[in-house]
Amino acid sequence: MQVMKLLLTVAFLVLVLVLVLVQWENVCVSGSDSVQCREEERLALLHINASISFPIHSLEGKWEGKECCQWERVTCDSITGHVTQLDLGISFDDDDWLDYYQDGSLLNATLFLPLRQLRSLSLSAHGIHNCTDGSGLETWANLTKLESLDFSFNNLDESIIYDLASITSLRKLNLKGNSNYNSDLPNINGLEKWSNLTKLEILDLSDNSLNGSIIYNLASVPSLRKLYLSGNHINNSLPNFNGFEYWSNLTKLEMLDLSFNQLNITMISSLAQVSSLRALYLDYNYMMGGSVPVKELSALNLEVVSLTGCLYSGSFPDLGHWSSLKALSLADNLLNETLTSEGLCRLKNIEELDLSSNNLLEIFLLVWEIFLLLS
């Protein structure tokens, strides 16, 4: 009898627990579905949409009603209803995006201030040149939650670049492709104020026609982990230029993309100062000399190296100094001599290897032989 009572008691407790869990799930789902947009933020979104250049019909009929959390391109916190993400970037798939890109529009930054919990904002490809008088990006210092900002493919001038230093909460900043249509961005100097961006970890300055002076300027942002500088005009033409020696304080920088620049072997050698580097992309730099810079970068514990299209010729390099590599690309070069198994066998951690578009017929036979031996 006692056993029967115990079993009934346990069964009852289990049933109660199940009912509680079901009720809790219903409460959570109901709370998520019924989250209400903040009226102040709904009005701010409408004002923002009315003020910026946007492809015709892209949001027509989609930003209506009081529940702005259900609007396209808007993401809200499921509990508080605050807007946390806003994606107003123009896609290159829009047939008329180029008309807006060239527009040279002015941004009224104060319209975004009611979005106090905003964490991510994209305003890519709007042709933004500057801000309206009295409403610059310095006002975004009040957006203390803003961590990700995308201003790519605009037409930003120097002043707006400087004002970005006010947004001290930033962790990710995309300024790619701002050199077109007479932008002043290639001449930016004196980014000392960016030292305020102590949380900035990811920065994209690709395709901006920047020269070597950007190397000086970026030394003031030691928090960087990933840096994209491809498609610029970085070289050693500046007087008293010592390459990347200025970056010895970038002790957190793990990934660097310098593809499509004009680097020479001296500049490449100076990258050894950035001891934290793990991934390095140097594709299509034609001035780096005739041999792969294995020894020059031997001090780095690199895991990913890409040297595609650098016009390297002659014998295949001895890769013994890069034993930590997990991925290596030497594709689209002019390597044409016999590859020894010793060179590849030293890459004990290699997972990806691209040697395509060279003149190394023996390479494929040798790689296959090594694969058979290791399998």
Side-chain angles (χ1 to χ4, degrees), residues 12 68 83 87 182 228 292 333 352:
F12 175 75
C68 67
V83 175
D87 182 3
N182 298 317
Y228 301 85
V292 179
N333 281 288
E352 299 179 23

Side-chain angles (χ1 to χ4, degrees), residues 339 355-358 360-369:
L339 171 66
L355 303 173
S356 60
S357 299
N358 279 281
L360 290 164
L361 177 60
E362 295 93 341
I363 232 177
F364 302 103
L365 299 176
L366 185 57
V367 170
W368 179 249
E369 178 183 349

Side-chain angles (χ1 to χ4, degrees), residues 198-370:
T198 57
K199 298 180 180 179
L200 188 62
E201 298 180 344
I202 303 174
L203 176 61
D204 192 342
L205 287 169
S206 304
D207 301 325
N208 280 305
S209 301
L210 298 169
N211 60 30
S213 64
I214 192 65
I215 306 302
Y216 299 121
N217 296 321
L218 290 177
S220 61
V221 195
S223 57
L224 288 175
R225 288 192 307 108
K226 296 182 179 181
L227 177 57
Y228 301 85
L229 288 170
S230 64
N232 285 293
H233 296 156
I234 299 174
N235 53 45
N236 67 340
S237 61
L238 297 177
N240 301 317
F241 184 66
N242 295 320
F244 298 95
E245 293 180 3
Y246 305 95
W247 284 6
S248 58
N249 65 321
L250 300 188
T251 57
K252 298 180 180 179
L253 188 62
E254 298 177 350
M255 197 289 299
L256 176 61
D257 187 354
L258 286 163
S259 303
F260 295 95
N261 278 284
Q262 302 163 18
L263 307 180
N264 60 21
I265 192 61
T266 302
M267 296 186 70
I268 295 300
S269 299
S270 67
L271 281 170
Q273 301 291 325
V274 193
S275 59
S276 56
L277 275 181
R278 295 295 177 265
L280 181 59
Y281 300 85
L282 298 170
D283 304 331
Y284 298 98
N285 279 276
Y286 300 126
M287 303 173 64
M288 294 194 298
S291 59
V292 179
V294 179
K295 292 183 179 180
E296 287 79 2
L297 298 174
S298 60
L300 300 176
N301 190 26
L302 292 169
E303 297 180 357
V304 179
V305 173
S306 186
L307 293 163
T308 300
C310 292
L311 299 182
Y312 292 129
S313 59
S315 59
F316 196 83
D318 181 355
L319 301 174
H321 293 290
W322 284 353
S323 58
S324 59
L325 279 185
K326 295 181 179 179
L328 171 64
S329 175
L330 287 169
D332 197 16
N333 281 288
L334 302 173
L335 301 174
N336 57 18
E337 293 189 13
T338 302
L339 171 66
T340 63
S341 59
E342 181 181 0
L344 283 181
C345 287
R346 292 186 181 184
L347 300 179
K348 298 179 180 180
N349 298 306
I350 200 71
E351 297 173 2
E352 299 179 23
L353 179 62
D354 188 353
L355 303 173
S356 60
S357 299
N358 279 281
N359 298 321
L360 290 164
L361 177 60
E362 295 93 341
I363 232 177
F364 302 103
L365 299 176
L366 185 57
V367 170
W368 179 249
E369 178 183 349
I370 293 173

Side-chain angles (χ1 to χ4, degrees), residues 44-54 58-60 63 88 111:
L45 290 172
L46 293 175
H47 292 150
I48 290 169
N49 185 42
S51 70
I52 62 177
S53 301
F54 216 72
S58 60
L59 291 178
E60 186 174 336
W63 278 21
L88 297 179
L111 296 179

